[in-house]
Amino acid sequence: MDLDALRAARREEWDRLARLAARRRPDGAEADELIERYQSGASDLSLIRSTAGDSVAGDRLAISLARARLRFTGTSTNVLARIPSFFVLQLPAALYRIRILTLVVAAATAVVAVITGWWISAEPRAIAQLGSEADLQEYAEKDFVSYYSDHSGGIFSGTVWTNNAFLAAQCVAFGITGIYPVYLLLGNAASLGEAGAVLAHFGHLDTFFLYIAPHGQLELYSIFLAAAAGLRVFWAWVAPGPRARVTALSTEGRAMFAVVIGLIVFLFMSGLVEGWVTRQDWPWSVKIGVGTLALAVVLVYQWVIGGRAARAGHTGDLEEFEAGARRLVAG
């Protein structure tokens, strides 16, 4: 499909849809026209999403469609009734928008962690700079494992969750700088590489992977999501395309704020695994299986449910949710 040709052919129809959707009180004829244009625009957006993926034209059309839905569906009488639509439509759509960037971030982190671990393992002076031989041996043979069982499961889960959720929220909030997400990623990757190198130095590399695997799958993926969301906001500021920079920032900012809410839930899940599963005297296949299942749930939510929401015209922009809440409060 030639996106430019489609945009040229449909420009007047899409502009008319945007104008109708912006009217607060359309009359009867305009309301009928709005429904017709909405149906046509939804078909166009589905075609764009399925053939061209993310695009500026698709995002603009999706916003017009979201505004149009408000005009002829109204709002719920209970604001709590809007919450399911957030978790079924807005949040997965926002996560779907950063799916590829999340994989790029994950790959970059893996490369940095492996290079760091390899360099420290291959360079005796690098190991020595991390601490004394006795202290490093104590860490490799005792402290690394005892970290997961020194405190009660509830306290440990809560501490890990709040710390990680705070870091993830910062990553998105300061993403506009383009520096903080990269700083967080590099620091996280270097820490993983260092820990792996120290345990490998004392012959406990298997312990490193076994204790990281149950909770680390979802925890690390959540950090990758946070970094991708922050970088998405940064790119909207650097390269807004045909949109005004303020418009691009507000659109991406609202969508990535939705991601923050999702990250709080995902990190709560990983915190539960870290606090209650990793420490258990269960077969490693069971513990790692629990962690894999938690990650699989998030991946299906992002890629499958998110893809379905995106093809239906949702972008994750909270404008529809916010506008509905404002209308409800106003009257």
Side-chain angles (χ1 to χ4, degrees):
M1 182 198 72
D2 188 335
L3 180 57
D4 291 334
L6 178 64
R7 182 168 48 193
R10 297 281 200 275
R11 183 187 302 275
E12 292 185 5
E13 295 182 20
W14 296 349
D15 289 345
R16 178 60 176 168
L17 170 65
R19 290 194 298 271
L20 288 171
R23 296 190 179 179
R24 299 179 65 86
R25 292 182 176 83
D27 58 31
E30 289 175 337
D32 291 339
E33 183 183 358
L34 178 61
I35 294 176
E36 292 179 3
R37 301 233 178 243
Y38 175 85
Q39 293 172 338
S40 176
S43 298
D44 289 341
L45 182 60
S46 178
L47 178 61
I48 293 173
R49 295 286 190 201
S50 61
T51 57
D54 290 337
S55 65
V56 174
D59 289 347
R60 284 177 141 178
L61 179 56
I63 292 174
S64 296
L65 290 171
R67 288 172 173 167
R69 277 194 298 274
L70 279 178
R71 295 296 173 259
F72 56 76
T73 61
T75 60
S76 163
T77 57
N78 184 352
V79 73
L80 295 179
R82 300 188 60 81
I83 293 178
S85 70
F86 170 79
F87 285 100
V88 174
L89 300 174
Q90 277 97 347
L91 176 56
L95 291 168
Y96 187 75
R97 294 177 71 174
I98 58 173
R99 65 195 185 285
I100 303 301
L101 186 54
T102 302
L103 297 182
V104 173
V105 167
T109 301
V111 169
V112 173
V114 170
I115 291 176
T116 301
W118 173 81
W119 177 73
I120 293 176
S121 298
E123 179 54 62
R125 288 176 298 180
I127 283 281
Q129 290 178 354
L130 297 178
S132 67
E133 188 77 4
D135 288 341
L136 294 179
Q137 186 171 4
E138 179 80 5
Y139 171 77
E141 296 182 352
K142 180 181 177 182
D143 294 346
F144 182 81
V145 173
S146 63
Y147 166 77
Y148 297 99
S149 56
D150 281 346
H151 303 284
S152 68
I155 294 176
F156 186 66
S157 294
T159 301
V160 169
W161 172 47
T162 53
N163 179 65
N164 288 336
F166 181 63
L167 288 176
Q170 284 184 312
C171 197
V172 178
F174 300 130
I176 191 173
T177 65
I179 298 174
Y180 190 80
V182 176
Y183 167 78
L184 180 66
L185 284 175
L186 291 178
N188 190 56
S191 296
L192 285 172
E194 288 178 4
V198 171
L199 267 72
H201 181 70
F202 292 98
H204 298 293
L205 185 59
D206 57 336
T207 300
F208 171 77
F209 285 112
L210 287 173
Y211 274 85
I212 289 292
H215 65 276
Q217 296 179 71
L218 181 53
E219 181 178 88
L220 288 172
Y221 193 74
S222 297
I223 297 301
F224 301 154
L225 284 169
L231 291 173
R232 177 92 185 201
V233 174
F234 169 70
W235 193 247
W237 173 62
V238 172
R243 299 176 294 178
R245 184 166 278 106
V246 173
T247 301
L249 276 175
S250 62
T251 299
E252 297 300 336
R254 286 191 297 266
M256 295 308 107
F257 178 76
V259 172
V260 172
I261 298 175
L263 289 173
I264 292 174
V265 177
F266 301 157
L267 288 169
F268 178 72
M269 293 166 57
S270 71
L272 289 179
V273 175
E274 188 170 0
W276 296 98
V277 176
T278 302
R279 67 176 61 204
Q280 299 299 326
D281 188 21
W282 299 343
W284 282 108
S285 58
V286 174
K287 293 193 285 187
I288 295 175
V290 171
T292 302
L293 177 61
L295 175 61
V297 169
V298 172
L299 290 175
V300 170
Y301 186 71
Q302 179 186 21
W303 289 77
V304 178
I305 299 177
R308 188 178 304 152
R311 287 188 293 272
H314 298 278
T315 65
D317 189 339
L318 292 181
E319 184 176 77
E320 177 184 354
F321 187 86
E322 294 171 350
R326 285 195 300 267
R327 287 174 57 190
L328 182 60
V329 172

